[in-house]
């Protein structure tokens, strides 16, 4: 598992290295996170690809979940959330699969990753995924679940390379179609 904070040298779109710092996020980062969401939604050609969250929902995540942030040159490059393997957490994706209490306690949810449009293509989402999976395993999770829009091939590929499998497609987040994917650790 990568210890936080750490700095990773990633290539920009011109093949030039950029230092991106990854660290844990906390409630003091709320304005950075909401501004990142605004930039992402503004740049989307299809708004159904993304399900927005309210400021209050992000504050809950920043307080109760394990959140990571990536920064480069004073700009937020990305944000990611891991919902711990807690059977009482209503955001545990195992509830969609009617998991019992014991299995919910072994299931972590890779809930959200946002990457600023200006920083895409550098592998930030893959690093967030590795951070979240490593953290989940350290916490005793035996599997991870995530959701992805069927119309988002970039995110889908980032999970396929980590051996996640689609287990179903369903309506979520106010009627949006999503794949539910699983990886057994």
């Amino acid at each position: 598992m990568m210890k936080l904070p750490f700095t990773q040298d990633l290539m920009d779109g011109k093949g030039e290295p950029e230092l991106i710092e990854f660290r844990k996020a906390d409630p003091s980062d709320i304005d950075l996170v909401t501004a990142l969401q605004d930039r992402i939604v503004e740049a989307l050609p299809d708004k159904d690809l993304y399900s927005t969250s309210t400021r209050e929902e992000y504050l809950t995540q920043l307080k109760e979940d394990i959140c990571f942030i990536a920064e480069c040159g004073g700009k937020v490059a990305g944000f990611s959330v891991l919902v711990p393997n807690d059977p009482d957490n209503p955001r545990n994706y195992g509830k969609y699969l009617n998991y019992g209490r014991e299995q919910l306690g072994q299931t972590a949810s890779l809930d959200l990753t946002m990457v600023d449009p200006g920083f895409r293509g550098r592998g930030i989402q893959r690093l967030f995924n590795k951070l979240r999976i490593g953290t989940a395993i350290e916490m005793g999770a035996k599997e991870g679940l995530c959701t992805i829009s069927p119309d988002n091939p970039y995110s889908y590929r980032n999970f396929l390379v980590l051996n996640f499998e689609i287990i179903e497609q369903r309506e979520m987040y106010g009627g949006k179609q999503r794949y539910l994917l699983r990886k057994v650790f």
Side-chain angles (χ1 to χ4, degrees), residues 54-137:
T54 65
R55 183 179 181 86
E56 292 74 28
E57 288 168 329
Y58 282 130
L59 272 174
T60 297
Q61 288 182 309
L62 287 162
K63 290 176 186 174
E64 297 177 8
D65 298 333
I66 300 167
C67 301
F68 305 100
I69 201 161
E71 297 172 300
C72 179
K75 296 179 182 176
V76 174
F79 174 73
S80 194
V81 177
L82 171 69
V83 177
N85 45 309
D86 175 0
D88 297 317
N89 191 319
R91 294 178 310 282
N92 186 319
Y93 290 157
K95 294 184 186 253
Y96 291 112
L97 300 172
N98 297 315
Y99 283 0
R101 185 168 181 76
E102 182 178 343
Q103 193 168 6
L104 286 168
Q106 297 176 354
T107 302
S109 301
L110 285 73
D111 183 43
L112 162 74
T113 295
M114 300 187 291
V115 177
D116 184 279
F119 288 94
R120 291 191 182 139
R122 292 169 174 80
I124 293 171
Q125 183 182 35
R126 285 187 186 176
L127 278 170
F128 277 141
N129 288 345
K130 289 177 182 179
L131 269 171
R132 294 185 299 172
I133 290 168
T135 302
I137 290 170

